[in-house]
């Protein structure tokens, strides 16, 4: 297949198995390859391009900021970073923010924060972090250790001490795992890479209660579920409870690389000067992109569209699922939708590609649909029609 490529990729380390297509341009829900072929993008950078590609509000903010000030050190105050922190706190449970450059880094910050908090409030034994099986938290050492997937740990030992894993959705198992020595529980409110796994009704409220009782911080990894993906700015809003700490990245800065660790009342002042830092974290360029992306998400009817399109898309997928044995379950919230297949997940991805549609398969057999939140009914209809067709041929 490689002879179809126009450019040389032989000097890249082999960390991905990319589809042999070279993407060079994007607008809204579409991307174009180097040959001018157009694709309807229902991957959206894996929940990064929530506003679609090259949203004018983000492009304008980046252009203006790039002409004014791209980077200065956090040794100085950066007004737009302060504005971003205020915007995030006004629209969440949080009181304070730390900015970094990726999801994994945000998880590292949250784990470090939790250990310092444990030390201050429970003593120097309280270093434990309890995470869920099937979770994904990133690829750096602590984030990878938190990740509950053995295939991701393979070959990288020794892992970071102090981490344990329990089945996602099992409140009894969590109860047994959390105790005096627990600094934090970290969970994705809906597991993304693990296969778009939604929690059982009442589970997250039970986790909240347990953390309160044991004096452990509850960290929500909303790197994939956040920034409007589930129809509210953050997924926790849908579950009637709040975490103590939340990590964000992916859609945070409209496509620019940025991560954040947010803390509520209990953990807002754990870090002091020198406890943690990041050279690029919250620099003027990414902060202005994030401000523009958040304002657009909150003001532009984006969340309502996400809810409406999510309901419509899910209903249409269930209609297809009802007519075949190939689909085990359609699940998700908002525009974070997974279709668990009996078989043929990767083949379906190829078949969509042949029909100029980008979708992704995760956890081996879960087709994952993560369209931009500005997706139209016509675009959803196109994907539904293609899926009906593809299912017939699998
Ligand atoms: C993508 C993702 C991460 C890792 O983010 P990176 O920016 O790739 O480091 C962590 N947690 C969740 C839930 C994710 O979806």
């Amino acid at each position: 297949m490689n002879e179809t490529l126009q450019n040389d990729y032989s000097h890249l380390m082999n960390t991905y198995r990319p589809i042999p297509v070279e993407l060079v341009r994007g607008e809204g829900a579409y991307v174009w390859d180097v040959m001018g072929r157009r694709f309807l993008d229902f991957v959206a950078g894996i929940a990064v391009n929530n506003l679609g590609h090259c949203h004018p509000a983000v492009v304008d903010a980046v252009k203006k900021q790039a002409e004014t000030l791209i980077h200065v050190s956090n040794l100085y105050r950066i007004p737009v970073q302060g504005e971003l922190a205020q915007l995030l706190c006004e629209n969440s449970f949080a009181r304070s923010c730390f900015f970094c450059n990726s999801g994994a880094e945000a998880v590292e910050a949250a784990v470090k924060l939790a250990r310092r908090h444990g030390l201050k409030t429970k003593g120097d034994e309280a270093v434990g972090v309890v995470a869920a099986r099937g979770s994904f938290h990133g690829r750096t050492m602590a984030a990878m250790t938190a990740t509950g997937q053995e295939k991701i740990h393979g070959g990288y030992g020794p892992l970071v001490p102090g981490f344990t894993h329990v089945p996602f959705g099992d409140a009894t198992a969590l109860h047994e795992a959390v105790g005096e020595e627990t600094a934090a529980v970290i969970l994705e409110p809906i597991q993304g890479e693990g296969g778009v796994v939604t929690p059982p009704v009442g589970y997250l409220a039970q986790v909240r209660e347990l953390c309160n009782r044991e004096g452990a911080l509850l960290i929500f990894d909303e790197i994939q579920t956040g920034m409007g993906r589930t129809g509210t700015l953050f997924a926790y809003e849908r579950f009637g409870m709040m975490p103590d700490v939340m990590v964000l990245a992916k859609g945070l800065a409209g496509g620019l690389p940025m991560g954040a660790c947010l803390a509520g009342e209990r953990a807002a002042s754990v870090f002091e000067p020198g406890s943690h830092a990041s050279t690029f974290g919250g620099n003027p360029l990414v902060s202005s992109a994030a401000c523009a992306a958040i304002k657009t998400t909150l003001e532009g009817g984006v969340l309502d569209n996400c809810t409406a399109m999510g309901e419509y898309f899910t209903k249409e997928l269930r209609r297809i699922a009802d007519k075949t044995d190939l689909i085990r379950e359609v699940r998700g919230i908002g525009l974070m939708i997974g279709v668990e297949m009996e078989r043929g997940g990767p083949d379906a991805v190829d078949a969509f590609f042949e029909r100029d549609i980008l979708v992704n398969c995760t956890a081996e057999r879960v087709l994952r649909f993560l369209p931009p939140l500005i997706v139209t009914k016509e675009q959803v209809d196109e994907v539904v029609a293609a899926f009906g067709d593809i299912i017939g041929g699998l």
Side-chain angles (χ1 to χ4, degrees):
M1 259 194 182
N2 253 12
E3 55 270 17
T4 63
L5 298 179
Q6 310 281 300
N7 297 282
D8 180 11
Y9 300 94
S10 62
H11 295 287
L12 289 169
M13 287 194 191
N14 239 341
T15 53
Y16 282 84
R17 195 176 294 109
I19 292 172
V21 62
E22 299 170 281
L23 302 177
V24 293
R25 186 162 78 83
E27 192 184 318
Y30 295 100
V31 287
W32 284 261
D33 79 358
V34 68
M35 312 292 283
R37 181 174 166 193
R38 189 183 81 165
F39 296 88
L40 182 54
D41 183 5
F42 272 41
V43 175
I46 313 186
V48 168
N49 305 100
N50 286 6
L51 297 173
H53 293 278
C54 300
H55 190 286
V58 176
V59 171
D60 274 358
V62 169
K63 271 188 184 166
K64 286 206 182 84
Q65 192 60 53
E67 285 170 348
T68 311
L69 183 68
I70 293 177
H71 180 83
V72 285
S73 169
N74 282 309
L75 294 170
Y76 311 97
R77 285 295 185 197
I78 300 168
V80 68
Q81 185 187 115
E83 188 195 338
L84 173 61
Q86 189 178 349
L87 201 51
L88 285 167
C89 290
E90 278 172 356
N91 288 286
S92 74
F93 71 96
R95 286 281 306 277
S96 65
C97 307
F98 173 82
F99 294 111
C100 51
N101 315 288
S102 67
E105 274 178 79
V107 171
E108 297 288 327
V111 168
K112 288 178 72 175
L113 182 144
R115 285 197 167 162
R116 271 182 86 89
H117 180 266
L119 181 70
K120 284 185 184 177
T121 59
K122 296 172 82 175
D124 52 16
E125 303 280 284
V127 300
V129 178
V130 182
R133 297 213 182 110
S135 62
F136 183 79
H137 298 294
R139 301 290 194 150
T140 56
M141 286 308 286
M144 176 184 71
T145 305
T147 294
Q149 301 186 47
E150 266 157 36
K151 66 169 196 271
I152 284 174
H153 297 165
Y156 296 116
L159 300 178
V160 178
F163 287 76
T164 49
H165 293 92
V166 295
F168 183 65
D170 183 341
T172 311
L174 194 70
H175 186 87
E176 276 160 26
V178 174
E180 254 317 291
E181 64 302 329
T182 308
V185 173
I186 181 167
L187 293 174
E188 297 158 88
I190 302 164
Q191 292 190 332
E193 302 308 300
V196 190
V197 183
T198 50
V201 176
Y203 172 66
L204 295 176
Q206 284 175 292
V207 176
R208 175 69 277 178
E209 210 181 293
L210 178 63
C211 287
N212 288 348
R213 207 167 346 122
E214 297 291 343
L217 292 180
L218 176 55
I219 303 169
F220 271 0
D221 180 343
E222 292 231 24
I223 291 167
Q224 194 162 145
T225 55
M227 309 324 296
R229 179 55 53 189
T230 68
T232 47
L233 193 57
F234 306 111
Y236 76 81
E237 299 170 52
R238 296 216 159 236
F239 298 101
M241 40 80 70
M242 289 181 223
D244 300 301
V245 175
M246 173 168 72
V247 287
L248 302 173
K250 295 215 158 93
L252 176 58
L256 273 74
M258 185 179 215
C261 173
L262 278 62
E265 195 70 52
R266 281 174 74 191
S269 316
V270 171
F271 286 148
E272 300 152 30
S275 331
H276 196 49
S278 168
T279 295
F280 288 116
N283 94 358
L285 191 69
V286 293
S287 290
S288 62
C291 283
I294 294 169
K295 285 178 190 163
T296 306
T297 303
L298 290 173
E299 290 160 14
V302 174
L303 296 175
D304 289 342
N305 188 68
C306 174
T307 301
M309 288 303 110
E311 279 170 15
Y312 175 67
F313 194 10
T314 305
K315 182 176 67 108
E316 292 297 294
L317 289 169
R318 292 208 166 116
R319 209 167 43 75
I320 294 173
D322 285 344
K323 288 185 280 189
T324 174
D325 295 336
L326 272 174
I327 297 174
R328 253 189 227 179
E329 192 182 20
V330 176
R331 56 183 183 245
I333 305 183
L335 285 171
M336 181 168 178
I337 301 172
V339 176
E340 184 171 342
M341 308 284 290
E342 280 301 332
R343 59 178 171 83
D347 292 340
V349 171
D350 292 344
F352 272 114
F353 186 81
E354 291 309 314
R355 288 165 175 78
D356 302 335
I357 295 166
L358 303 182
V359 304
N360 157 260
C361 179
T362 188
E364 274 136 57
R365 56 157 184 263
V366 180
L367 283 178
R368 180 170 46 168
F369 298 93
L370 297 166
L373 311 183
I374 48 103
V375 72
T376 64
K377 180 171 175 297
E378 290 68 33
Q379 289 162 344
V380 170
D381 284 337
E382 184 183 335
V383 171
V384 169
F387 191 42
D389 220 40
I390 288 165
I391 284 288
L394 278 180

